[in-house]
Amino acid sequence: MTEQSGRSLIEIIGVMAIAGILTAGVIATYNTVRNRQTRTIAAAGLEKIAQNTKLLMGARRNYNGISVDYLIKAGALKTNKAPIGSADWSISPSVDNKGFLIKLKDLSKGDCDYFTTIKIDWAGGVKVNGFETDPGTYCLTTGGNEVYFIVRSRKYEKDCVVIFNFDVNRILCDIFNAAT
């Protein structure tokens, strides 16, 4: 009888199955880390956009005429590429021109959840798909979420009651100091 050496087919299949499971775990971890990094970079980019906009327009305390194109021409933005989401994003003034909105479109549920749960010091509020009250509950699982970051001039942040209209991307501001 001859002696055989080597591995059986079952042993090779077992090793390949273990390698496949480990590879799937590594890929899932990589995707999680990559998504977290993309969101963190986007949040930092949005903060920079808000700071640059306030520096450019805040001295006059009037954000009338603000837009992505205007900020590019003024040198406050380098490109019209959205920090995250689709290319169709905007920056627009509030109704009273005392603040502005940064509107991102087509965010995934994960991106939407991220921006509604992190602490954003530079924005006075976040509005998701038309809702500000508990915005995290309004993130759509199918994607296509619209997230608005509401940024106001420092002078008016404490003096305004912010009221949102579902289909209008503006801030209606009542100055209530006169009544108190």
Side-chain angles (χ1 to χ4, degrees):
M1 189 161 176
T2 58
E3 207 173 295
Q4 294 184 0
S5 64
R7 304 281 177 225
S8 71
L9 185 58
I10 298 295
E11 289 173 324
I12 292 173
I13 290 173
V15 168
M16 288 177 64
I18 291 169
I21 291 169
L22 291 174
T23 301
V26 168
I27 289 172
T29 302
Y30 169 76
N31 284 335
T32 300
V33 170
R34 186 176 54 101
N35 287 339
R36 188 173 297 148
Q37 179 185 20
T38 301
R39 291 172 184 147
T40 302
I41 291 169
L46 288 166
E47 181 177 12
K48 187 73 169 167
I49 291 167
Q51 288 173 349
N52 288 347
T53 304
K54 282 182 174 182
L55 282 173
L56 180 67
M57 306 290 285
R60 60 184 200 180
R61 296 193 188 273
N62 186 331
Y63 294 91
N64 187 31
I66 194 79
S67 68
V68 173
D69 291 335
Y70 180 83
L71 293 174
I72 290 171
K73 289 175 186 171
L77 280 179
K78 293 181 181 178
T79 177
N80 65 352
K81 186 175 186 285
I84 196 166
S86 75
D88 185 21
W89 71 297
S90 63
I91 299 174
S92 58
S94 62
V95 169
D96 62 1
N97 293 317
K98 304 287 187 223
F100 59 96
L101 301 167
I102 300 173
K103 177 183 176 183
L104 300 175
K105 293 177 102 178
D106 296 328
L107 295 181
S108 69
K109 175 148 177 42
D111 293 340
C112 182
D113 287 338
Y114 176 81
F115 286 111
T116 57
T117 56
I118 64 168
K119 182 168 174 42
I120 301 175
D121 295 330
W122 52 267
V126 177
K127 183 176 166 184
V128 175
N129 297 322
F131 299 96
E132 184 191 21
T133 307
D134 197 16
T137 60
Y138 296 103
C139 293
L140 304 173
T141 57
T142 57
N145 292 293
E146 289 186 1
V147 176
Y148 297 77
F149 299 96
I150 300 120
V151 185
R152 290 182 291 278
S153 172
R154 284 277 178 226
K155 178 181 176 191
Y156 297 97
E157 282 183 3
K158 296 176 184 169
D159 302 358
C160 291
V161 175
V162 181
I163 306 164
F164 292 96
N165 189 345
F166 179 75
D167 58 350
V168 179
N169 62 346
R170 302 172 192 221
I171 299 175
L172 304 171
C173 188
D174 284 331
I175 305 297
F176 64 90
N177 279 355
T180 56

